[in-house]
Amino acid sequence: MRRLRAQLRSFDPSLRLLMVNQFGINLGFYMLMPYLADHLAHGLGLAAWAVGLVLGVRNLSQQGMFWLGGTLADRIGYKPMILAGCALRTGAFVLLAVADTLPALIIASAATGFAGALFNPAVRAYIADGAGRRRVEAFSCFNVFYQAGILLGPLAGLALLAFDFRLVCAVSAAVFGVLAIIQARALPARRPAADPQRTNGWRGIAADWRAIGRNRPFVLFSAAMAGSYLLAFQTYLALPLRARDLVGDASGTAMGVVFAVSALVAVAGQLRLTDWARKRLDAPKAIAIGLAVMGAAFLPLLFGPHRPAQGLAAWRGLAALVVCAALLAAGSALLYPFEMDTLVRLSGERLVATYYGAYSTVAGVAVAGGNLAVGALFDFAARTHVPWLPWAALTALGLGCATALTGLRRTGHLHPVPAAAPAAA
């Protein structure tokens, strides 16, 4: 904690505000979202397909619109997008509190996702711009606040849920409303420097996107890193499936422990891992090691038990789940600051928010398609009685991504793109 305070004080007040803001964003979001499916299914009595539709719309409207949020941030400025996202999510959560029809729920869910697409690229671009050469340190500190929000959000939501789900929505909305007001008053405006290469209007936006598509190092890096997001998401898909196989109805309690351990590892280890890697590794090597650790996280799950278990076998299975989650969190914490810094370097420090948005959209598509494949793999493994197959495939994915990153490093495909020339005075 002392190290975090010292590092936080070393940054500009605007960056400190955005880091605390990210804690609030995740606190408000994870206070509500883990309990939304249960509210839809049991509180409102929606059919399973309708619950899936509402949740899917939220994910699609966020992941699919990151590119638009990043583009708008580069064109309009970072602060307006941050404020718009917080304000939109405030209204969306209020609507979730009162909506009881499927159309209203879909609108609220879509607005919730689109709000994230507005502020996420802008926040990261603002931090990258404000931190300058200290981007790695800034994103390391940023991730501590990010993970702390994930840790405390569900606990706060659970306490409020004892009263009413509508209260959870109201408090979550209030968090985003307060964040919007504070940042409107205290966050300095910041936007990209004037770019002589930029054309205004839709033609200019199309030209920006063509330039990103032609940026081969960025495209290759995005493809190599997409698997890391699928691996990280298994905390919400594969690990709960394994917990259900092991302990049945007690899986909710087991996953609560798993989520807590994952967030604690990230919060407690982030700064230490970043300091260690900065002294010993270059950015691509740090990212590759992080990917390898994320792949290796699934090795403990290759070994049984794979069926409902009792006694020592159940404890052994649960311990493997906790180890897997801890290694996933450690690998992700190791690579994250270097990943964010690499994206800025590959952009040539131009259209940074747009690059972040494009990268997040690629990651979202990878997670959506990859989760379908992982689910199909679990079904196939159950039919063919090879329960270790999904874990082996996920391990291979992590090691494959690490190998791809190492290959890009050795062949020079991760060299920074030259920065655009500054505008004439």
Side-chain angles (χ1 to χ4, degrees):
M1 186 62 70
R2 189 178 304 166
R3 178 184 296 187
L4 176 62
R5 285 199 300 268
Q7 188 151 317
L8 187 63
R9 284 197 298 267
S10 70
F11 291 111
D12 183 87
S14 63
L15 299 191
R16 297 201 297 265
L17 175 60
L18 282 181
M19 291 175 189
V20 175
N21 167 68
Q22 190 60 49
F23 168 77
I25 285 174
N26 281 10
L27 176 71
F29 183 79
Y30 287 96
M31 186 187 301
L32 186 152
M33 294 309 294
Y35 310 108
L36 179 58
D38 184 72
H39 167 70
L40 297 175
H42 298 105
L44 299 180
L46 294 186
W49 67 266
V51 174
L53 176 62
V54 171
L55 298 180
V57 164
R58 189 213 66 79
N59 186 69
L60 180 62
S61 64
Q62 179 161 324
Q63 302 291 351
M65 290 291 106
F66 270 126
W67 64 272
L68 179 59
T71 297
L72 291 173
D74 278 328
R75 294 276 166 171
I76 299 173
Y78 305 143
K79 181 176 178 178
M81 291 300 100
I82 295 171
L83 297 181
C86 288
L88 180 59
R89 189 162 280 180
T90 300
F93 281 177
V94 169
L95 183 55
L96 278 178
V98 300
D100 57 4
T101 65
L102 186 58
L105 290 165
I106 290 174
I107 292 171
S109 187
T112 297
F114 186 53
L118 291 178
F119 60 63
N120 272 311
V123 167
R124 283 152 180 77
Y126 195 118
I127 289 176
D129 187 42
R133 295 182 179 180
R134 298 184 63 204
R135 286 191 298 263
V136 169
E137 296 171 70
F139 279 112
S140 177
C141 197
F142 173 82
N143 201 39
V144 173
F145 286 90
Y146 188 98
Q147 296 294 335
I150 293 177
L151 174 64
L152 296 179
L155 299 177
L158 187 62
L160 294 171
L161 200 62
F163 299 94
D164 187 62
F165 181 79
R166 288 187 293 271
L167 179 62
V168 179
C169 294
V171 174
S172 298
V175 168
F176 280 95
V178 169
L179 290 176
I181 293 170
I182 291 174
Q183 287 170 105
R185 295 174 62 88
L187 185 67
R190 188 186 292 271
R191 61 183 304 159
D195 187 347
Q197 301 180 20
R198 177 178 296 170
T199 303
N200 293 325
W202 288 107
R203 288 185 178 181
I205 292 174
D208 291 344
W209 275 90
R210 285 195 298 269
I212 290 175
R214 290 194 298 265
N215 187 334
R216 193 160 181 257
F218 169 76
V219 172
L220 292 173
F221 180 74
S222 300
M225 292 299 297
S228 69
Y229 287 84
L230 178 60
L231 293 175
F233 194 87
Q234 299 317 303
T235 305
Y236 304 96
L237 176 61
L239 299 194
L241 291 175
R242 178 61 177 268
R244 171 66 64 172
D245 286 343
L246 283 171
V247 295
D249 291 338
S251 61
T253 301
M255 287 309 301
V257 174
V258 168
F259 291 141
V261 168
S262 177
L264 283 171
V265 167
V267 170
Q270 179 68 71
L271 299 184
R272 293 179 176 84
L273 285 168
T274 302
D275 287 346
W276 175 85
R278 287 178 64 242
K279 293 174 183 176
R280 295 168 175 81
L281 308 169
D282 61 22
K285 187 176 288 187
I287 295 170
I289 291 175
L291 289 168
V293 170
M294 293 181 75
F298 296 95
L299 287 174
L301 301 175
L302 280 170
F303 313 101
H306 298 287
R307 301 184 186 88
Q310 295 180 343
L312 184 60
W315 284 108
R316 184 162 56 88
L318 292 174
L321 276 180
V322 171
V323 170
C324 176
L327 288 175
L328 279 174
S332 181
L334 173 59
L335 66 84
Y336 178 78
F338 300 97
E339 172 193 14
M340 295 294 103
D341 179 62
T342 299
L343 285 171
V344 178
R345 292 190 298 106
L346 293 180
S347 75
E349 302 193 28
R350 176 178 176 270
L351 300 173
V352 173
T354 306
Y355 271 89
Y356 277 138
Y359 184 79
S360 297
T361 295
V362 171
V365 171
V367 170
N371 280 338
L372 290 176
V374 170
L377 201 57
F378 270 98
D379 290 339
F380 177 79
R383 291 195 305 269
T384 56
H385 305 290
V386 281
W388 51 266
L389 184 60
W391 314 117
L394 291 168
T395 298
L397 175 62
L399 298 179
C401 289
T403 301
L405 222 293
T406 301
L408 293 177
R409 174 178 177 270
R410 289 178 176 173
T411 56
H413 282 98
L414 295 181
H415 289 164
V417 174

